[in-house]
């Protein structure tokens, strides 16, 4: 029996969907499209928190907790690039704490792209400590709340942290200006549970879009001072910094993909309702 | 020291292992409980705490060391499973062989990169180049590609599965579309013509999405978090007091 147009609308070949998706992703990346960017309120809060830290007379180092790996680089990489660039523009020193085995390499690659431009020197302006196992994070955070160098011990190359100028005035979290949590997981909970009770450090979170709804209660309760939601958050942040980077480009591509998903949902539902209505009319006609 | 302790544990008779693990679990939990609940006073270094507080960094290091041993356990398990699969020529044993080869190639490349990055196994190619090629060109690219595939499934699944069949699904669909549009530049561009202040600004898509996330999602999620926290507390107590039944001990019994 031949399919009606409504049935066909509900059964578009998956291969066609994949090709259309591929076009929706690749075309805006290859040929950037300009769309007006209106930064979200939570991104603005994140930006202003870093600006506020930079305004302090004695700028203390920020702590960057990098929990992401290559699997979520599509979102977390652009967020990291935007945040690291902002720290460097404002000359805020930072300590990177990698919470994933891939994080040290990924963070090194990103920082290397900007460090010469902004005159950042390893050990003096930034440092990357050794990888920390996420399953012991609660205990590590409790230790860090008390003494950061004695808990973290060494940098990524096994050198004692006390030997680096950046760590000269860092002992407890009172010596940290800001915590940047870049994560695709619910790792923020541990910082809130084991750090925020004892130390009041501003926290800015950059999370994947799928994880972001879980962060909103903490934004609402002012336990975190800013939130970058997925790659849109990175694009918004670039807009606030006045930089047109990869985040803006990818955010535009993502916009079109969201548009495609909504369009397909509408097509599927129109077909579904029209078919249902047609079947109802047919039944009524038969009864008559 | 860790290795010696693990070896000492292996000498414990099987029937005494459960009480030993229960004892250490209880002591570890007791340490953190006492540190948290005991009254604090001004310590010699000017910070607040009790007599256990200065030992927190040491406890953090011990925890890291213990967790590091689980990585070793993971490696042993991985090798055992895949070497058995290769040895018995089970279905898909080729994949196991790929795992073993990749595992050792990455270990060798990683160690060479760490301890002798300038060593040149092939003329003009340094050990660090080999590692970078394997890490950036192999692991990172494959990892990203795996995750990127999800986009294709999401598009296909949302098209096929999202059907408005009830009031609940209509509400879900409506809020999902509004939040999706409010979270991307295309959506915010649609209503960017509306004023950014005043009553009309409430109809801007980003503000509608923000309202749904903060006023509807947040209270619901907060209630869920409270529920999870109570359950987590109960489970933690059961684990601390070794009341939880695990597969290992069930097999032992």
């Amino acid at each position: 029996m031949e399919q009606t147009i409504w049935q066909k609308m509900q059964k578009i070949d998956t291969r066609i969907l994949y090709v259309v998706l591929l076009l929706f992703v690749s075309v805006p990346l290859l040929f950037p499209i300009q769309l007006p960017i209106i930064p979200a309120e939570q991104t603005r809060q994140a930006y202003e928190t870093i600006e506020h830290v930079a305004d302090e007379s004695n700028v203390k180092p920020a702590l960057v907790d990098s929990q992401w790996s290559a699997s979520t680089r599509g979102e977390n990489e652009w967020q990291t690039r935007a945040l690291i660039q902002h720290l460097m523009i404002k000359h805020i020193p930072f300590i990177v704490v990698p919470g994933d085995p891939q994080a040290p390499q990924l963070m090194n690659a990103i920082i290397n792209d900007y460090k010469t431009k902004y005159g950042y020197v390893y050990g003096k302006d930034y440092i990357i400590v050794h990888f920390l196992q996420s399953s012991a994070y609660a205990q590590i955070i409790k230790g860090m709340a008390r003494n950061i160098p004695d808990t973290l011990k060494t940098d990524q190359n096994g050198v004692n942290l006390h030997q680096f100028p950046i760590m000269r005035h860092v002992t407890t979290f009172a010596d940290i200006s800001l915590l940047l949590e870049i994560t695709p997981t619910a790792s923020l909970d541990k910082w809130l549970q084991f750090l925020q009770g004892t130390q009041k450090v501003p926290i800015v979170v950059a999370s994947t879009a799928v994880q972001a709804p879980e962060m909103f209660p903490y934004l609402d309760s002012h336990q975190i001072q800013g939130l970058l939601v997925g790659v849109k958050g990175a694009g918004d942040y670039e807009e606030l910094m006045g930089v047109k980077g990869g985040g803006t480009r990818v955010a535009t591509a993502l916009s079109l993909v969201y548009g495609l998903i909504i369009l397909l949902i509408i097509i599927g539902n129109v077909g579904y309702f029209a078919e249902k209505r047609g079947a109802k009319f047919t039944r009524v006609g038969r009864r008559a | 020291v860790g290795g010696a302790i693990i070896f000492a544990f292996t000498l414990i008779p099987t029937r005494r292992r459960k009480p030993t693990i229960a004892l250490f679990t209880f002591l570890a939990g007791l340490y953190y409980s006492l540190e948290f609940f005991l009254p604090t006073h001004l310590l010699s270094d000017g910070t607040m705490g009790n007599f256990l507080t200065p030992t927190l960094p040491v406890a953090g290091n011990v925890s890291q060391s213990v967790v590091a041993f689980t990585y070793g356990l993971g490696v042993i398990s991985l090798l055992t499973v895949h070497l058995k699969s290769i040895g018995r020529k089970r279905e898909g044993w080729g994949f196991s062989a790929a795992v073993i080869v990749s595992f050792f190639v990455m270990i060798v490349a990683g160690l060479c990169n760490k301890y002798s990055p300038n060593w040149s196994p092939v003329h003009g190619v340094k050990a660090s180049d080999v590692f970078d090629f394997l890490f950036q060109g192999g692991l990172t690219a494959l990892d990203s590609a795996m995750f990127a595939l999800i986009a294709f499934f999401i598009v296909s699944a949302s098209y096929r599965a999202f059907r408005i069949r009830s009031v609940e699904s209509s509400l879900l669909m409506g809020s999902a579309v509004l939040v999706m549009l409010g979270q991307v530049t295309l959506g915010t561009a649609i209503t960017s013509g509306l004023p950014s202040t005043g009553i009309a600004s409430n109809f801007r898509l980003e503000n509608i999405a923000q309202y749904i996330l903060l006023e509807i999602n947040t209270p619901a999620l907060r209630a869920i978090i409270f529920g999870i926290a109570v359950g987590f507390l109960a489970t933690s107590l059961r684990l601390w007091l070794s009341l939880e039944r695990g597969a290992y001990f069930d097999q032992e019994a």
Side-chain angles (χ1 to χ4, degrees):
Chain A
M1 192 179 143
E2 199 181 328
Q3 285 186 335
T4 63
I5 179 80
W6 309 119
Q7 284 170 332
K8 281 180 186 170
M9 277 173 78
Q10 292 178 72
K11 288 174 186 166
I12 300 172
D13 194 329
T14 313
R15 288 167 297 183
I16 296 172
L17 297 181
Y18 289 172
V19 171
V20 174
L21 175 64
L22 201 63
L23 289 172
F24 269 65
V25 174
S26 52
V27 170
L29 290 176
L30 296 170
F31 310 101
I33 301 164
Q34 292 288 330
L35 285 174
I37 295 172
I38 301 159
E41 183 52 33
Q42 60 271 12
T43 315
R44 198 179 291 280
Q45 287 173 9
Y47 179 81
E48 282 164 6
T49 302
I50 295 184
E51 287 282 308
H52 180 70
V53 165
D55 288 342
E56 286 171 13
S57 54
N58 179 25
V59 180
K60 294 181 274 187
L63 196 113
V64 182
D65 182 30
S66 177
Q67 291 281 338
W68 59 282
S69 65
S71 54
T72 58
R73 71 187 296 189
E75 293 179 280
N76 292 132
E77 180 177 339
W78 302 113
Q79 294 171 332
T80 309
R81 283 185 183 276
L83 290 166
I84 292 291
Q85 253 184 294
H86 195 194
L87 291 179
M88 288 183 169
I89 289 167
K90 291 292 168 185
H91 301 290
I92 301 171
F94 59 89
I95 302 159
V96 177
V97 179
D100 185 276
Q102 293 180 27
Q105 276 83 10
L106 294 166
M107 289 302 288
N108 269 311
I110 290 172
I111 295 166
N112 287 344
D113 285 347
Y114 304 110
K115 68 176 187 182
T116 315
K117 184 180 175 186
Y118 297 105
Y120 263 59
V121 177
Y122 187 80
K124 179 175 160 278
D125 302 302
Y126 78 99
I127 196 167
I128 300 177
V129 305
H130 64 88
F131 153 64
L132 303 170
Q133 296 100 344
S134 55
S135 34
Y137 238 64
Q139 292 83 348
I140 293 167
I141 291 170
K142 277 204 77 91
M144 283 168 72
R146 171 79 197 163
N147 192 319
I148 294 171
D150 282 357
T151 306
L152 299 178
K153 296 268 188 204
T154 61
D155 81 332
Q156 57 181 338
N157 302 313
V159 181
N160 193 307
L161 289 180
H162 289 289
Q163 293 183 19
F164 296 101
I166 191 174
M167 300 301 289
R168 203 165 287 153
H169 303 292
V170 175
T171 307
T172 68
F173 255 91
D175 306 315
I176 294 293
S177 60
L178 171 79
L179 171 67
L180 288 179
E181 175 74 356
I182 307 167
T183 180
T185 64
S187 55
L188 171 71
D189 293 2
K190 292 204 172 59
W191 289 103
L192 297 178
Q193 287 165 5
F194 300 107
L195 176 75
Q196 211 165 48
T198 53
Q199 306 276 354
K200 299 291 174 208
V201 182
I203 301 176
V204 167
V205 182
S207 76
T208 47
V210 72
Q211 194 68 39
E214 286 187 33
M215 309 290 174
F216 275 90
Y218 303 119
L219 192 72
D220 187 46
S221 59
H222 306 290
Q223 283 171 283
I224 60 173
Q225 280 66 43
L227 174 66
L228 273 69
V229 179
V231 78
K232 163 74 163 58
D236 285 357
Y237 210 91
E238 287 178 0
E239 177 74 12
L240 290 166
M241 284 197 300
V243 176
K244 289 280 179 205
T248 311
R249 212 170 56 242
V250 178
T252 309
L254 187 77
S255 278
L256 298 182
V257 172
Y258 274 29
L260 173 69
I261 291 173
I262 292 167
L263 183 71
L264 287 171
I265 291 172
I266 292 168
I267 291 172
N269 277 288
V270 167
Y272 172 70
F273 278 109
E275 193 196 355
K276 225 167 85 170
R277 217 175 143 181
K280 199 174 158 185
F281 281 136
T282 312
R283 276 203 305 274
V284 172
R286 275 184 197 152
R287 273 185 215 143
Chain B
V1 175
I5 292 170
I6 296 285
F7 180 71
F9 278 137
T10 60
L11 299 176
I12 297 171
T14 311
R15 65 190 169 83
R16 288 189 191 261
R17 282 184 186 176
K18 189 182 174 185
T20 309
I21 293 169
L23 176 71
F24 277 91
T25 308
F26 179 74
L27 289 176
L30 187 68
Y31 166 79
Y32 279 106
S33 303
L34 289 177
E35 195 284 322
F36 186 78
F37 288 116
L38 283 180
T40 57
H41 53 85
L42 194 65
L43 297 171
S44 57
D45 61 357
T47 59
M48 294 297 287
N50 52 49
F51 76 101
L52 288 171
T53 310
T55 58
L56 279 174
V58 181
N61 284 323
V62 170
S63 301
Q64 286 191 71
S65 305
V66 172
V67 172
F69 276 97
T70 63
Y71 280 74
L73 205 64
V75 169
I76 293 167
S77 172
L78 181 101
L79 291 176
T80 311
V81 168
H82 290 284
L83 286 174
K84 265 186 193 170
S85 175
I86 296 166
R88 291 172 190 172
K89 291 265 170 77
R90 284 188 191 137
E91 193 184 354
W93 67 271
F95 296 115
S96 294
V99 169
I100 300 291
V101 171
S102 310
F103 177 75
F104 282 106
V105 167
M106 208 65 199
I107 283 181
V108 172
L111 289 173
C112 290
N113 178 55
K114 188 166 177 64
Y115 295 106
S116 185
N118 293 320
W119 175 59
S120 180
V122 184
H123 183 68
V125 181
K126 289 190 287 185
S128 59
D129 297 333
V130 175
F131 178 76
D132 284 344
F133 173 74
L134 289 172
F135 185 80
Q136 295 290 351
L139 180 68
T140 308
L142 286 169
D143 215 354
S144 306
M146 276 289 289
F147 213 71
L149 284 177
I150 295 172
F152 290 89
F153 294 118
I154 287 174
V155 166
S156 177
S158 58
Y159 164 66
R160 288 177 203 292
F162 264 141
R163 292 285 183 268
I164 302 174
R165 291 193 169 95
S166 62
V167 178
E168 290 87 347
S169 64
S170 312
L171 285 171
L172 181 71
M173 173 90 74
S175 53
V177 167
L178 289 169
V179 171
M180 278 168 78
L181 284 174
Q183 297 275 14
V184 292
T185 43
L186 180 70
T188 51
I190 293 169
T191 52
S192 61
L194 291 171
S196 54
T197 52
I199 294 171
S201 68
N202 293 327
F203 297 101
R204 287 173 73 123
L205 273 169
E206 69 271 21
N207 291 340
I208 296 172
Q210 195 80 355
Y211 176 81
I212 293 170
L213 282 168
L214 282 174
E215 307 302 328
I216 300 172
N217 163 70
T218 297
L221 208 56
R222 202 169 272 151
I224 294 168
I225 292 169
F226 271 113
I228 291 171
V230 172
F232 194 66
L233 186 66
T235 310
S236 301
L237 274 172
R238 287 184 64 80
L239 283 170
W240 180 30
L241 302 173
S242 293
L243 298 171
E244 197 70 11
R245 303 294 297 172
Y248 173 76
F249 290 123
D250 286 345
Q251 280 170 18
E252 286 290 297

